[in-house]
Amino acid sequence: MFDNIFGIHEQALLLHGQRLSVLAANLANADTPNYKARDIDFAEVLGNTGQPPLPVAVTNAAHIVMSDGELPAGELKYRNPYQASLDGNTVEMPVEQAAFSENNVRYQASLTFINSQISLLQFAIAGQ
Amino acid sequence: MSLFSVFNVAGSALNAETIRLNTTASNLANAESVNGDASKVYRARHPVFQAMVDESDLSLDGEDSTAGVRVLGVTESTAPPTMRYQPDHPLANKDGYIYMSNVNSIEEMTNMISANRSFATNIEAINTARDLLLKTLSMGH
């Protein structure tokens, strides 16, 4: 029961933290010539984590068991700019700021879910 | 914990923008500098930024998945200084000309605003990361 107590939010929190630093790097390099803005494809990476939708049957000793609960794995992707700038920089400040604050809210949402799960368990343990 | 890297990344950007603000201040201060010798007159200075990143490494857990900024160096503008005929000027050369610095005040003002905005954005990023870390620390309380 306790393996999966926080559901997807445990992975989501890690991934949101990772995305925050990637977006912070974009913001930091807003004035760097030739810097290409990067981002995490959140749905794709989160889809790679945790248990696969359908577990693969293991009928032979040589079969590889898919692991679950690993750290999110995936690749960064380059952002397509709405309008390319002359110095080769693809950071668009409003886009990055919007993504940054959205990511901030989602991080706090995952944190809230985890916190309420903890208080639920504390309530169950203490019975009051 | 990747949230901690925000402090390094945004911190390097704060440093770079500070250098940019310093050169802008120096340029504006010397906007009206003159000299009788074209090779000795003040020339506008601009920092060159570079991302501290290995473009080939795009994996999420790679060391270079986040990139700070470093200042490669400060370059001097190659725009020719303006000549002005002012024979009564104490610094005028034997033909009566003085050379004005090639600082473009409008360009410097826009540079200053841009640096100011970037600085504020990075401060905001640091504050956000700090808030999230503090909230994560108090998880379960």
Side-chain angles (χ1 to χ4, degrees):
Chain A
M1 174 203 171
F2 291 104
D3 283 351
N4 199 21
I5 210 155
F6 299 126
I8 198 79
H9 296 293
E10 193 183 332
Q11 311 286 341
L13 203 65
L14 284 170
L15 202 49
H16 281 306
Q18 214 129 30
R19 185 161 182 238
L20 191 88
S21 57
V22 171
L23 294 176
N26 288 347
L27 290 174
N29 284 288
D31 299 315
T32 310
N34 283 320
Y35 179 82
K36 308 296 180 209
R38 301 175 301 177
D39 199 358
I40 293 173
D41 186 343
F42 200 83
E44 186 200 296
V45 177
L46 203 60
N48 290 341
T49 65
Q51 284 176 323
L54 273 177
V56 180
V58 180
T59 54
N60 187 301
H63 286 171
I64 297 167
V65 184
M66 293 178 81
S67 63
D68 58 340
E70 294 280 308
L71 267 172
E75 285 214 320
L76 294 173
K77 289 182 175 172
Y78 289 113
R79 205 189 286 297
N80 278 327
Y82 288 100
Q83 190 173 8
S85 65
L86 273 177
D87 64 355
N89 185 306
T90 62
V91 178
E92 284 163 331
M93 234 9 170
V95 175
E96 300 300 333
Q97 281 170 331
F100 193 81
S101 57
E102 183 214 343
N103 190 63
N104 181 11
V105 171
R106 289 186 187 274
Y107 186 96
Q108 296 199 45
S110 284
L111 206 55
T112 308
F113 274 112
I114 290 176
N115 270 333
S116 54
Q117 198 71 9
I118 290 173
S119 46
L120 207 67
L121 280 172
Q122 279 173 338
F123 178 73
I125 292 165
Q128 52 183 331
Chain B
M1 185 69 188
S2 56
L3 272 179
F4 282 107
S5 72
V6 174
F7 295 105
N8 291 330
V9 168
S12 71
L14 291 182
N15 181 42
E17 299 296 346
T18 306
I19 291 173
R20 189 172 167 204
L21 269 177
N22 270 331
T23 56
T24 303
S26 161
N27 291 346
L28 283 174
N30 285 290
E32 301 297 327
S33 291
V34 293
N35 204 308
D37 188 347
S39 61
K40 283 181 185 162
V41 71
Y42 182 88
R43 288 168 185 275
R45 290 158 187 213
H46 295 117
V48 180
F49 289 179
Q50 191 194 41
M52 294 189 283
V53 66
D54 177 10
E55 291 288 343
S56 59
D57 185 10
L58 279 177
S59 62
L60 265 185
D61 48 358
E63 285 287 308
D64 295 313
S65 64
T66 57
V69 194
R70 79 170 141 239
V71 177
L72 262 188
V74 178
T75 58
E76 281 197 331
S77 165
T78 53
T82 322
M83 279 167 80
R84 188 192 284 174
Y85 185 63
Q86 207 169 330
D88 56 338
H89 197 285
L91 287 174
N93 62 12
K94 61 178 174 21
D95 298 322
Y97 284 101
I98 52 167
Y99 294 91
M100 315 282 296
S101 76
N102 63 355
V103 174
N104 183 339
S105 297
I106 298 167
E107 192 184 310
E108 296 304 327
M109 290 304 282
T110 51
N111 240 328
M112 188 173 75
I113 295 168
S114 172
N116 184 12
R117 291 278 161 82
S118 299
F119 196 93
T121 306
N122 281 293
I123 291 281
E124 202 58 47
I126 289 178
N127 279 338
T128 305
R130 194 201 54 203
D131 285 352
L132 290 183
L133 275 170
L134 287 179
K135 279 182 181 162
T136 313
L137 269 179
S138 63
M139 188 194 283
H141 287 287

